[in-house]
Amino acid sequence: MKQSPPPFTTGPAAWIGSKPPLLRFLNTCHAEFAPETSGAVADYIPELGKADPDHFGISLATLDGHVYEVGDTQIPFTIQSMSKPFVFALALDTLGAERVESVIGVEPSGDPFNSIRLNAENHPFNPMVNAGAIACSGLIHEAKGDAAFEYIRQALGRFAGRDLDVDDAVYASESTTGDRNRAIGYLLRTNAVIRDNVAAVLEVYFRQCAILVTARDIAVMAATLANRGINPVTGEQVMSAYAISRTLSVMTSSGMYDYAGEWIYRIGIPAKSGVGGGILAALPARLGLGSYSPRLDKHGNSVRGIKVCEALSAHYDLHMLNRSDDARNSIIADYNIGNSPSRRVRRAQEQSILAAHHQDVRVIELVGTLSFSNVDYVSRQLAAKPRPQLVIFDLRRVTAMTRAGARLLAEEFRELAAHHVTVILSGIRRSSPDWKMIADWTEGLTNIRNYYLLDAAIEWAEDQVVYRYGGAIDFFEATDLSEQSLLAGLTDEELTDLASLAAIKSYQASEKIIATGEPATSLFFLRSGVVHVTLPDGIRLATLTAGMPFGEMALLEPRRSADVFADMAATAYEIPLRDFERFRKQHPRAGERIMRNLAQLLADRLILANAKLNLLTSG
Ligand code: GLN
């Protein structure tokens, strides 16, 4: 008779609405493999023989810290050999790789876990078999003496994200029957792999194997391995990235003893099993899996646990060597400033310089993860076109950066510096870890700028181009109304009449000139200095210099729709709206000319806005 599936169980948060498909899948696995009763509970350690053979729990921890649980995921059992990877990582970080690697090999032995065979140098083959694991416990004992076991227990607790207990009965049971491991211990001492008290080292080893975990703990511990040593639930960096990657290496080649080759061939996920019935599988950058089911096959691996791993790997195609990625997806937009200038409204002279030299500023907007291949692709895209004078890399949609990606990017910056190209980064904060990585590798380079807003980066780049081609701007110099774009085409007489209506106003840097929501009762013509227009939420709409109107929407709308601030000391001509209306009646031709200029101004803004949108949507 087919067993009915167990109820769905979940992590700490109850599901609202539908069930995630991954939880459904794990539940299906549980239902499908629960009837599997082949294999036998380990009893060479007598106390282990008391486990309930029907217990079956599956837990999967994601790298964003969610834990799925199905079945008996809260039943404690002893960690046994699944302690080996963690104690190896701990030894690497505690004693240094050189010391550890000088006495423990990293080759698969092809032997069972309890084999009493050493390699040609009389060292353990690897840290995943008993000989290597006992050697690791010996190293920790060498460094920490009597505190060794407590040191290990606490380290494993950091991987699990909680304090872990010990099953004293299982410990005592193994200690009284563990002569085979004692034989290995003494063999290690004659070969100087263990230097001090063998008996004490073995007690540390037996105790570490008797640490109590649940399937959930194992999933979180595995996820920490898959996450470069950062526990995704607690956020703690538990071990160094070096120790973690080397641990995963030996799990890959030797984690499943004499089944290791077949395991990695079929399932392709670094894993470790324990005779207590646990299997731990850590797929780097993806997930951690913990399963518990005490019936073991002839290699000492949990029968149902293997089936769960097989099903997960096959169903979602998770074999770690079955991967591809398209680096070309990393560039979301690539353009020069010709069709996407900054929001700074430029004077005619600046406009003509920028129109002639817009090819000098290239903007590359990136998205997603900046990996080795992504950055390589970007560097080739850059090289494929004539070299610009300035390149803006917009990173605001970059969600992650690998070390390889950051390194290549830094090398690209050096390459650009060698060709006197200025690099401007936007969308990355100086406080971010990604920036730190880049900064470390670009020390000494003076051609890198950082503006958080892309628009500010483009504006700065435009200024460089304007200066380079002789368009130096004296912001303090006062201009008169005849230089106003909105008033183009007016006669001298009309301008003189208009000037008689204007009051000259002065503003200090950062003074608010116009506030959103106020009645719009006047228009302004910027006479000197720089002002900017922003929406109340802080989005900058435009930066204006002398010769440009602001508050001109008063001609169309009764209330101010944006704020205007002075960027530096500024002066403006202010004309009350009612005076302006009177002027329009007296000079109908000039009035019509101004309204036509206004329509042109609005049309230009719209065309620009459309072009910017198009850049992002046309891929
Ligand atoms: N404590 C067990 C032993 O040394 C661990 C073995 C295992 O889990 N494979 O025999």
Side-chain angles (χ1 to χ4, degrees), residues 44-45 48 78-84 113-114 128 130 134 170 174 180-181 184 205-206 208-210 257 272-277 296 299-301:
Y44 75 98
I45 299 171
L48 286 184
T78 53
I79 191 167
Q80 299 298 339
S81 278
M82 291 184 299
S83 63
K84 290 169 182 169
F113 65 87
N114 55 5
M128 299 296 105
N130 288 11
I134 294 167
V170 173
E174 182 163 11
R180 196 176 169 95
N181 284 326
I184 293 174
Y205 172 75
F206 294 145
Q208 98 190 25
C209 289
Y257 322 115
K272 187 77 203 79
S273 65
V275 289
L296 310 180
H299 306 283
N301 299 327

mmCIF file of all heavy atoms in Angstrom, residues 44-45 48 78-84 113-114 128 130 134 170 174 180-181 184 205-206 208-210 257 272-277 296 299-301, ligand 1:
data_model
loop_
_atom_site.group_PDB
_atom_site.id
_atom_site.type_symbol
_atom_site.label_atom_id
_atom_site.label_comp_id
_atom_site.label_asym_id
_atom_site.label_seq_id
_atom_site.Cartn_x
_atom_site.Cartn_y
_atom_site.Cartn_z
ATOM 1 N N TYR A 44 27.594 -1.057 13.957
ATOM 2 C CA TYR A 44 28.958 -1.347 14.444
ATOM 3 C C TYR A 44 29.297 -0.434 15.614
ATOM 4 O O TYR A 44 30.142 -0.733 16.433
ATOM 5 C CB TYR A 44 29.984 -1.251 13.303
ATOM 6 C CG TYR A 44 30.329 0.157 12.869
ATOM 7 C CD1 TYR A 44 31.471 0.799 13.348
ATOM 8 C CD2 TYR A 44 29.495 0.856 11.995
ATOM 9 C CE1 TYR A 44 31.778 2.097 12.954
ATOM 10 C CE2 TYR A 44 29.798 2.143 11.604
ATOM 11 C CZ TYR A 44 30.941 2.757 12.091
ATOM 12 O OH TYR A 44 31.243 4.033 11.715
ATOM 13 N N ILE A 45 28.616 0.718 15.675
ATOM 14 C CA ILE A 45 28.603 1.502 16.912
ATOM 15 C C ILE A 45 27.249 1.151 17.536
ATOM 16 O O ILE A 45 26.208 1.571 17.020
ATOM 17 C CB ILE A 45 28.694 3.016 16.626
ATOM 18 C CG1 ILE A 45 30.000 3.341 15.885
ATOM 19 C CG2 ILE A 45 28.576 3.821 17.906
ATOM 20 C CD1 ILE A 45 30.093 4.774 15.368
ATOM 21 N N LEU A 48 24.145 3.405 17.706
ATOM 22 C CA LEU A 48 23.526 3.879 16.458
ATOM 23 C C LEU A 48 22.393 2.961 16.018
ATOM 24 O O LEU A 48 21.439 3.378 15.370
ATOM 25 C CB LEU A 48 24.566 3.957 15.332
ATOM 26 C CG LEU A 48 25.580 5.091 15.351
ATOM 27 C CD1 LEU A 48 26.451 5.028 14.097
ATOM 28 C CD2 LEU A 48 24.883 6.445 15.424
ATOM 29 N N THR A 78 23.222 11.821 15.178
ATOM 30 C CA THR A 78 24.629 12.219 15.290
ATOM 31 C C THR A 78 25.223 12.515 13.915
ATOM 32 O O THR A 78 24.933 11.838 12.933
ATOM 33 C CB THR A 78 25.475 11.158 16.028
ATOM 34 O OG1 THR A 78 25.283 9.904 15.394
ATOM 35 C CG2 THR A 78 25.096 11.093 17.495
ATOM 36 N N ILE A 79 26.059 13.510 13.902
ATOM 37 C CA ILE A 79 26.603 14.036 12.645
ATOM 38 C C ILE A 79 27.582 13.062 11.989
ATOM 39 O O ILE A 79 27.683 13.000 10.773
ATOM 40 C CB ILE A 79 27.268 15.414 12.912
ATOM 41 C CG1 ILE A 79 27.616 16.134 11.609
ATOM 42 C CG2 ILE A 79 28.512 15.284 13.787
ATOM 43 C CD1 ILE A 79 27.991 17.614 11.808
ATOM 44 N N GLN A 80 28.283 12.293 12.809
ATOM 45 C CA GLN A 80 29.291 11.325 12.340
ATOM 46 C C GLN A 80 30.233 11.935 11.300
ATOM 47 O O GLN A 80 30.761 13.005 11.527
ATOM 48 C CB GLN A 80 28.598 10.040 11.831
ATOM 49 C CG GLN A 80 27.789 9.331 12.913
ATOM 50 C CD GLN A 80 28.654 8.848 14.086
ATOM 51 O OE1 GLN A 80 29.865 8.678 13.971
ATOM 52 N NE2 GLN A 80 28.029 8.666 15.255
ATOM 53 N N SER A 81 30.379 11.274 10.164
ATOM 54 C CA SER A 81 31.396 11.728 9.206
ATOM 55 C C SER A 81 31.081 13.067 8.570
ATOM 56 O O SER A 81 31.951 13.656 7.932
ATOM 57 C CB SER A 81 31.575 10.692 8.103
ATOM 58 O OG SER A 81 32.435 9.692 8.556
ATOM 59 N N MET A 82 29.847 13.534 8.698
ATOM 60 C CA MET A 82 29.558 14.867 8.147
ATOM 61 C C MET A 82 30.278 15.961 8.940
ATOM 62 O O MET A 82 30.295 17.116 8.529
ATOM 63 C CB MET A 82 28.049 15.128 8.120
ATOM 64 C CG MET A 82 27.313 14.266 7.110
ATOM 65 S SD MET A 82 25.564 14.702 7.047
ATOM 66 C CE MET A 82 25.078 14.357 8.721
ATOM 67 N N SER A 83 30.895 15.577 10.084
ATOM 68 C CA SER A 83 31.717 16.564 10.806
ATOM 69 C C SER A 83 33.040 16.796 10.069
ATOM 70 O O SER A 83 33.687 17.825 10.260
ATOM 71 C CB SER A 83 31.996 16.080 12.235
ATOM 72 O OG SER A 83 32.764 14.880 12.200
ATOM 73 N N LYS A 84 33.444 15.828 9.238
ATOM 74 C CA LYS A 84 34.794 15.882 8.654
ATOM 75 C C LYS A 84 35.063 17.136 7.821
ATOM 76 O O LYS A 84 36.107 17.777 8.008
ATOM 77 C CB LYS A 84 35.065 14.608 7.834
ATOM 78 C CG LYS A 84 35.223 13.380 8.733
ATOM 79 C CD LYS A 84 35.235 12.076 7.950
ATOM 80 C CE LYS A 84 35.349 10.888 8.919
ATOM 81 N NZ LYS A 84 35.106 9.601 8.260
ATOM 82 N N PHE A 113 35.410 4.210 4.190
ATOM 83 C CA PHE A 113 35.758 5.296 5.111
ATOM 84 C C PHE A 113 36.721 4.875 6.204
ATOM 85 O O PHE A 113 37.519 5.661 6.694
ATOM 86 C CB PHE A 113 34.493 5.924 5.715
ATOM 87 C CG PHE A 113 33.687 5.012 6.609
ATOM 88 C CD1 PHE A 113 33.987 4.904 7.964
ATOM 89 C CD2 PHE A 113 32.617 4.301 6.103
ATOM 90 C CE1 PHE A 113 33.231 4.088 8.793
ATOM 91 C CE2 PHE A 113 31.855 3.475 6.933
ATOM 92 C CZ PHE A 113 32.172 3.359 8.275
ATOM 93 N N ASN A 114 36.618 3.582 6.616
ATOM 94 C CA ASN A 114 37.403 3.177 7.787
ATOM 95 C C ASN A 114 38.684 2.427 7.409
ATOM 96 O O ASN A 114 39.269 1.740 8.230
ATOM 97 C CB ASN A 114 36.536 2.335 8.714
ATOM 98 C CG ASN A 114 35.933 1.143 7.986
ATOM 99 O OD1 ASN A 114 36.248 0.899 6.809
ATOM 100 N ND2 ASN A 114 35.089 0.402 8.688
ATOM 101 N N MET A 128 38.508 13.289 4.189
ATOM 102 C CA MET A 128 37.119 12.799 4.238
ATOM 103 C C MET A 128 37.024 11.354 4.715
ATOM 104 O O MET A 128 35.947 10.863 5.021
ATOM 105 C CB MET A 128 36.451 12.944 2.854
ATOM 106 C CG MET A 128 36.358 14.383 2.353
ATOM 107 S SD MET A 128 35.310 15.480 3.346
ATOM 108 C CE MET A 128 36.548 16.457 4.198
ATOM 109 N N ASN A 130 38.331 8.338 7.543
ATOM 110 C CA ASN A 130 38.611 8.426 8.976
ATOM 111 C C ASN A 130 40.046 8.842 9.276
ATOM 112 O O ASN A 130 40.284 9.685 10.140
ATOM 113 C CB ASN A 130 38.306 7.094 9.665
ATOM 114 C CG ASN A 130 36.814 6.854 9.758
ATOM 115 O OD1 ASN A 130 36.032 7.572 9.129
ATOM 116 N ND2 ASN A 130 36.414 5.853 10.538
ATOM 117 N N ILE A 134 40.787 11.978 11.557
ATOM 118 C CA ILE A 134 41.445 11.843 12.867
ATOM 119 C C ILE A 134 42.705 12.722 12.882
ATOM 120 O O ILE A 134 43.015 13.376 13.885
ATOM 121 C CB ILE A 134 41.760 10.353 13.173
ATOM 122 C CG1 ILE A 134 40.434 9.580 13.345
ATOM 123 C CG2 ILE A 134 42.632 10.216 14.426
ATOM 124 C CD1 ILE A 134 40.571 8.059 13.350
ATOM 125 N N VAL A 170 26.007 7.890 22.401
ATOM 126 C CA VAL A 170 26.662 7.473 21.151
ATOM 127 C C VAL A 170 28.180 7.645 21.283
ATOM 128 O O VAL A 170 28.963 6.787 20.874
ATOM 129 C CB VAL A 170 26.122 8.260 19.934
ATOM 130 C CG1 VAL A 170 26.932 7.947 18.681
ATOM 131 C CG2 VAL A 170 24.643 7.940 19.710
ATOM 132 N N GLU A 174 30.817 4.602 20.925
ATOM 133 C CA GLU A 174 31.892 4.533 19.932
ATOM 134 C C GLU A 174 33.253 4.435 20.612
ATOM 135 O O GLU A 174 34.145 3.720 20.149
ATOM 136 C CB GLU A 174 31.868 5.738 18.973
ATOM 137 C CG GLU A 174 32.977 5.605 17.923
ATOM 138 C CD GLU A 174 32.827 6.502 16.697
ATOM 139 O OE1 GLU A 174 31.967 7.398 16.713
ATOM 140 O OE2 GLU A 174 33.583 6.283 15.736
ATOM 141 N N ARG A 180 39.156 0.088 15.802
ATOM 142 C CA ARG A 180 39.665 0.268 14.445
ATOM 143 C C ARG A 180 40.193 1.710 14.282
ATOM 144 O O ARG A 180 41.265 1.930 13.740
ATOM 145 C CB ARG A 180 38.528 -0.003 13.462
ATOM 146 C CG ARG A 180 39.022 -0.215 12.082
ATOM 147 C CD ARG A 180 37.897 -0.575 11.133
ATOM 148 N NE ARG A 180 38.445 -0.502 9.806
ATOM 149 C CZ ARG A 180 38.924 -1.549 9.137
ATOM 150 N NH1 ARG A 180 38.863 -2.751 9.654
ATOM 151 N NH2 ARG A 180 39.452 -1.389 7.948
ATOM 152 N N ASN A 181 39.417 2.673 14.788
ATOM 153 C CA ASN A 181 39.878 4.062 14.721
ATOM 154 C C ASN A 181 41.118 4.268 15.587
ATOM 155 O O ASN A 181 41.994 5.058 15.249
ATOM 156 C CB ASN A 181 38.763 5.025 15.131
ATOM 157 C CG ASN A 181 37.720 5.172 14.013
ATOM 158 O OD1 ASN A 181 38.074 5.123 12.833
ATOM 159 N ND2 ASN A 181 36.467 5.318 14.386
ATOM 160 N N ILE A 184 44.012 3.235 13.617
ATOM 161 C CA ILE A 184 44.375 4.306 12.662
ATOM 162 C C ILE A 184 45.151 5.399 13.393
ATOM 163 O O ILE A 184 46.178 5.886 12.913
ATOM 164 C CB ILE A 184 43.099 4.883 11.993
ATOM 165 C CG1 ILE A 184 42.443 3.835 11.103
ATOM 166 C CG2 ILE A 184 43.438 6.149 11.194
ATOM 167 C CD1 ILE A 184 41.094 4.235 10.509
ATOM 168 N N TYR A 205 37.880 13.098 18.423
ATOM 169 C CA TYR A 205 37.246 12.617 17.199
ATOM 170 C C TYR A 205 35.907 11.930 17.496
ATOM 171 O O TYR A 205 34.896 12.210 16.841
ATOM 172 C CB TYR A 205 38.201 11.671 16.454
ATOM 173 C CG TYR A 205 37.534 10.987 15.280
ATOM 174 C CD1 TYR A 205 37.269 11.691 14.095
ATOM 175 C CD2 TYR A 205 37.134 9.650 15.368
ATOM 176 C CE1 TYR A 205 36.627 11.068 13.031
ATOM 177 C CE2 TYR A 205 36.492 9.026 14.300
ATOM 178 C CZ TYR A 205 36.236 9.736 13.139
ATOM 179 O OH TYR A 205 35.593 9.127 12.099
ATOM 180 N N PHE A 206 35.881 11.035 18.487
ATOM 181 C CA PHE A 206 34.628 10.327 18.805
ATOM 182 C C PHE A 206 33.543 11.327 19.235
ATOM 183 O O PHE A 206 32.391 11.196 18.874
ATOM 184 C CB PHE A 206 34.845 9.306 19.937
ATOM 185 C CG PHE A 206 35.759 8.157 19.549
ATOM 186 C CD1 PHE A 206 36.635 7.590 20.481
ATOM 187 C CD2 PHE A 206 35.723 7.638 18.264
ATOM 188 C CE1 PHE A 206 37.460 6.525 20.135
ATOM 189 C CE2 PHE A 206 36.562 6.571 17.908
ATOM 190 C CZ PHE A 206 37.434 6.018 18.843
ATOM 191 N N GLN A 208 33.356 14.518 18.429
ATOM 192 C CA GLN A 208 32.906 15.379 17.318
ATOM 193 C C GLN A 208 31.915 14.612 16.444
ATOM 194 O O GLN A 208 30.970 15.185 15.907
ATOM 195 C CB GLN A 208 34.106 15.913 16.511
ATOM 196 C CG GLN A 208 34.412 15.142 15.249
ATOM 197 C CD GLN A 208 35.725 15.494 14.580
ATOM 198 O OE1 GLN A 208 36.677 15.978 15.204
ATOM 199 N NE2 GLN A 208 35.795 15.236 13.300
ATOM 200 N N CYS A 209 32.113 13.272 16.332
ATOM 201 C CA CYS A 209 31.188 12.458 15.531
ATOM 202 C C CYS A 209 29.828 12.327 16.226
ATOM 203 O O CYS A 209 28.827 12.019 15.581
ATOM 204 C CB CYS A 209 31.763 11.059 15.292
ATOM 205 S SG CYS A 209 33.157 11.069 14.160
ATOM 206 N N ALA A 210 29.789 12.560 17.546
ATOM 207 C CA ALA A 210 28.541 12.385 18.304
ATOM 208 C C ALA A 210 27.789 13.704 18.482
ATOM 209 O O ALA A 210 26.817 13.772 19.239
ATOM 210 C CB ALA A 210 28.853 11.749 19.662
ATOM 211 N N TYR A 257 33.317 8.461 -0.052
ATOM 212 C CA TYR A 257 34.213 7.300 0.076
ATOM 213 C C TYR A 257 34.406 6.595 -1.264
ATOM 214 O O TYR A 257 34.648 7.219 -2.278
ATOM 215 C CB TYR A 257 33.700 6.299 1.130
ATOM 216 C CG TYR A 257 33.101 6.957 2.325
ATOM 217 C CD1 TYR A 257 31.759 6.826 2.626
ATOM 218 C CD2 TYR A 257 33.895 7.757 3.151
ATOM 219 C CE1 TYR A 257 31.216 7.442 3.737
ATOM 220 C CE2 TYR A 257 33.359 8.379 4.257
ATOM 221 C CZ TYR A 257 32.028 8.220 4.542
ATOM 222 O OH TYR A 257 31.490 8.832 5.611
ATOM 223 N N LYS A 272 28.671 14.948 1.459
ATOM 224 C CA LYS A 272 29.316 14.153 2.510
ATOM 225 C C LYS A 272 28.220 13.396 3.219
ATOM 226 O O LYS A 272 27.151 13.943 3.490
ATOM 227 C CB LYS A 272 30.023 15.093 3.507
ATOM 228 C CG LYS A 272 30.847 14.382 4.532
ATOM 229 C CD LYS A 272 32.157 13.901 3.938
ATOM 230 C CE LYS A 272 32.756 12.750 4.723
ATOM 231 N NZ LYS A 272 32.114 11.452 4.430
ATOM 232 N N SER A 273 28.525 12.122 3.531
ATOM 233 C CA SER A 273 27.523 11.356 4.263
ATOM 234 C C SER A 273 28.068 10.984 5.634
ATOM 235 O O SER A 273 29.257 11.132 5.901
ATOM 236 C CB SER A 273 27.180 10.089 3.487
ATOM 237 O OG SER A 273 28.333 9.275 3.436
ATOM 238 N N GLY A 274 27.192 10.539 6.489
ATOM 239 C CA GLY A 274 27.587 10.074 7.819
ATOM 240 C C GLY A 274 26.849 8.787 8.133
ATOM 241 O O GLY A 274 25.709 8.608 7.663
ATOM 242 N N VAL A 275 27.469 7.895 8.932
ATOM 243 C CA VAL A 275 26.803 6.624 9.237
ATOM 244 C C VAL A 275 25.586 6.814 10.140
ATOM 245 O O VAL A 275 24.808 5.884 10.338
ATOM 246 C CB VAL A 275 27.757 5.567 9.862
ATOM 247 C CG1 VAL A 275 28.743 5.054 8.841
ATOM 248 C CG2 VAL A 275 28.477 6.135 11.080
ATOM 249 N N GLY A 276 25.398 7.997 10.673
ATOM 250 C CA GLY A 276 24.196 8.270 11.455
ATOM 251 C C GLY A 276 22.966 8.353 10.552
ATOM 252 O O GLY A 276 21.827 8.394 11.032
ATOM 253 N N GLY A 277 23.158 8.433 9.224
ATOM 254 C CA GLY A 277 22.022 8.483 8.293
ATOM 255 C C GLY A 277 21.864 9.819 7.593
ATOM 256 O O GLY A 277 20.930 10.030 6.826
ATOM 257 N N LEU A 296 21.361 2.473 5.608
ATOM 258 C CA LEU A 296 22.544 2.740 4.779
ATOM 259 C C LEU A 296 22.769 1.638 3.743
ATOM 260 O O LEU A 296 22.390 0.484 3.956
ATOM 261 C CB LEU A 296 23.797 2.806 5.665
ATOM 262 C CG LEU A 296 23.747 3.693 6.903
ATOM 263 C CD1 LEU A 296 25.079 3.609 7.649
ATOM 264 C CD2 LEU A 296 23.425 5.141 6.529
ATOM 265 N N HIS A 299 28.106 1.105 1.121
ATOM 266 C CA HIS A 299 29.198 2.076 1.264
ATOM 267 C C HIS A 299 29.060 2.893 2.543
ATOM 268 O O HIS A 299 29.932 3.686 2.873
ATOM 269 C CB HIS A 299 29.196 3.068 0.087
ATOM 270 C CG HIS A 299 29.236 2.411 -1.254
ATOM 271 N ND1 HIS A 299 30.389 1.873 -1.779
ATOM 272 C CD2 HIS A 299 28.263 2.184 -2.178
ATOM 273 C CE1 HIS A 299 30.123 1.356 -2.985
ATOM 274 N NE2 HIS A 299 28.844 1.535 -3.235
ATOM 275 N N GLY A 300 27.930 2.755 3.216
ATOM 276 C CA GLY A 300 27.701 3.554 4.427
ATOM 277 C C GLY A 300 26.968 4.844 4.124
ATOM 278 O O GLY A 300 26.970 5.773 4.935
ATOM 279 N N ASN A 301 26.320 4.917 2.953
ATOM 280 C CA ASN A 301 25.579 6.123 2.575
ATOM 281 C C ASN A 301 24.071 5.873 2.690
ATOM 282 O O ASN A 301 23.589 4.799 2.314
ATOM 283 C CB ASN A 301 25.917 6.513 1.131
ATOM 284 C CG ASN A 301 27.392 6.837 0.944
ATOM 285 O OD1 ASN A 301 28.037 7.353 1.861
ATOM 286 N ND2 ASN A 301 27.936 6.517 -0.225
HETATM 287 N N1 GLN B 1 32.296 7.899 13.845
HETATM 288 C C1 GLN B 1 32.250 7.090 12.662
HETATM 289 C C2 GLN B 1 33.501 6.245 12.528
HETATM 290 O O1 GLN B 1 34.562 6.725 12.713
HETATM 291 C C3 GLN B 1 32.052 7.974 11.462
HETATM 292 C C4 GLN B 1 32.066 7.176 10.173
HETATM 293 C C5 GLN B 1 31.118 7.673 9.164
HETATM 294 O O2 GLN B 1 30.172 8.417 9.431
HETATM 295 N N2 GLN B 1 31.288 7.247 7.950
HETATM 296 O O3 GLN B 1 33.408 5.083 12.240
#
